[in-house]
Amino acid sequence: MAMARAGTKALGALLAVVLGAAGLAGCSSTGGKRAEDRAKKLAANGSAVDTPKWTVAMVTHSGAGDTFWDIVQSGAKQAAAKDNIKFVYSSSDQGDQQAQLVQAAIDQHVDGLIVTLAKPDALKAAVAKAVSAGIPVITINSGAAQSKEFGALTHIGQDETIAGNAVGDELNTRGKQHALCVLHEQGNVGLEQRCAGAKEKFHGKMDNLYVNGTNMPDVLSAIQAKLQSDKSIDSVVTLGAPFADTAAKAKSQSGSKAEIDTFDLNPQVATSLKNGTIGFAVDQQPYLQGYEAVDLLWLYRYNKDTLGGGQAVLTGPQIVTKDDADALLSYAKRGTR
């Protein structure tokens, strides 16, 4: 679906991200100057390394229009530009089709594979074939529990149960009593773990609502009907940023006073945090998931380096609120948070 572009356009984007990262870290003027100099060097030389032009494929469970994966790709492309890597992206929200895309990457003899395990049973055989073919595999985002078993080098992402626990704790802090957890993809183990983790810690009542995440009008009507039929619901938790805005519309149309909370960030969520439309969001830093996965595959091929020591490399969860909105909004708008 997406491939890292060569030339000045990609490297210009790399310069912008490096400079932005320096601002995020709150560097001194000297540190910022060093980061700028490094970025200019990358732009001049084409990459930061002189290793061969390896190819890394990323195959995810993303459905059409899911902007979360644009952020993941943004990080992956920046690492690929730095590491002299050809980055190839493909996706399907159907487990069997995702497995076929993994097989296609194997057939193309890629040098590294990044894969999500939202539906691990459907991917097990395909990932095993990649490992048997000598292709190093890193899993990201979903499937932490199966990653090691399937032969991956490591898993990068947030622990979904821990993330759900954080939501339950935050709802308790806010005094909520009845929450609705909206699952937008049936069979996705990560989404199930989020709701289960929240329910485990939440002191109140939590209901699950399954919706068809590929059809936003249906999502809107399902949430609206639930809010109209049960006025005791005081919090709606969506499991992806694109669904938070739809939940807010359902709240308005149903006359509900429920707080809208969500997993993940995008510019709309950051804006909604700022104006109070959304109470809080759970950030798992998808940019890092893409960036670190590509970079770790380069490190493994170059130096047999690994991270995690057999445990997942966690990129979240981080609870973000209105207090964080101003700092995050500019990064969300450029597609890195």
Side-chain angles (χ1 to χ4, degrees):
M1 180 170 127
M3 182 180 298
R5 296 181 181 177
T8 57
K9 184 174 181 180
L11 294 168
L14 175 61
L15 173 60
V17 170
V18 172
L19 290 176
L24 177 62
C27 296
S28 67
S29 58
T30 302
K33 181 63 166 58
R34 285 197 295 265
E36 184 177 357
D37 290 343
R38 286 194 297 271
K40 288 180 178 177
K41 184 177 180 180
L42 289 179
N45 296 339
S47 71
V49 299
D50 58 2
T51 47
K53 189 75 171 182
W54 291 318
T55 298
V56 167
M58 178 184 286
V59 184
T60 79
H61 63 277
S62 171
D66 191 338
T67 57
F68 175 92
W69 295 100
D70 295 338
I71 305 173
V72 175
Q73 289 184 72
S74 179
K77 290 174 183 178
Q78 298 302 336
K82 175 179 71 69
D83 293 337
N84 193 33
I85 281 175
K86 178 182 178 182
F87 175 70
V88 182
Y89 180 83
S90 61
S91 68
S92 174
D93 59 0
Q94 302 300 311
D96 57 342
Q97 294 179 17
Q98 189 187 0
Q100 292 172 14
L101 293 171
V102 171
Q103 183 61 57
I106 296 169
D107 294 341
Q108 293 164 14
H109 306 290
V110 297
D111 301 294
L113 176 66
I114 303 164
V115 63
T116 62
L117 301 178
K119 298 171 182 173
D121 291 344
L123 273 296
K124 184 175 183 179
V127 173
K129 287 180 182 179
V131 174
S132 295
I135 299 172
V137 177
I138 287 178
T139 61
I140 64 168
N141 183 259
S142 54
Q146 295 82 14
S147 179
K148 187 176 181 179
E149 175 192 347
F150 287 10
L153 298 176
T154 193
H155 178 82
I156 301 172
Q158 72 180 5
D159 183 295
E160 302 295 9
T161 299
I162 293 174
N165 288 166
V167 168
D169 288 337
E170 184 67 19
L171 292 174
N172 292 335
T173 298
R174 292 167 177 261
K176 302 304 179 183
Q177 299 297 320
H178 188 181
L180 184 67
C181 195
V182 182
L183 297 96
H184 57 267
E185 182 183 350
Q186 292 219 25
N188 185 322
V189 294
L191 300 186
E192 296 284 352
Q193 289 167 350
R194 288 179 180 182
C195 289
K199 189 172 184 177
E200 179 183 359
K201 292 291 186 178
F202 185 41
H203 297 159
K205 178 183 178 183
M206 178 168 285
D207 299 327
N208 287 357
L209 176 66
Y210 292 89
V211 298
N212 179 6
T214 63
N215 188 327
M216 280 300 186
D218 281 358
V219 175
L220 175 64
S221 62
I223 298 174
Q224 182 178 341
K226 186 68 175 178
L227 292 177
Q228 285 174 333
S229 65
D230 193 340
K231 297 298 184 181
S232 71
I233 296 172
D234 56 11
S235 176
V236 177
V237 180
T238 62
L239 303 185
F243 305 99
D245 184 53
T246 300
K249 291 176 182 176
K251 168 187 173 178
S252 176
Q253 293 176 14
S254 66
S256 170
K257 295 182 179 180
E259 177 179 279
I260 307 300
D261 305 306
T262 191
F263 280 75
D264 302 331
L265 281 174
N266 65 12
Q268 180 61 47
V269 168
T271 299
S272 295
L273 284 170
K274 185 174 181 178
N275 64 29
T277 304
I278 292 176
F280 68 88
V282 186
D283 185 19
Q284 61 175 302
Q285 301 186 101
Y287 179 89
L288 274 184
Q289 293 178 18
Y291 188 98
E292 292 299 335
V294 170
D295 208 34
L296 280 178
L297 283 173
W298 178 84
L299 285 166
Y300 182 79
R301 293 205 63 92
Y302 174 67
N303 205 44
K304 284 295 186 288
D305 288 318
T306 61
L307 282 180
Q311 302 297 316
V313 178
L314 299 184
T315 62
Q318 178 186 8
I319 300 291
V320 293
T321 67
K322 184 175 184 177
D323 294 339
D324 308 294
D326 279 333
L328 293 176
L329 185 55
S330 62
Y331 306 129
K333 286 181 175 179
R334 76 181 182 189
T336 59
R337 287 297 292 268

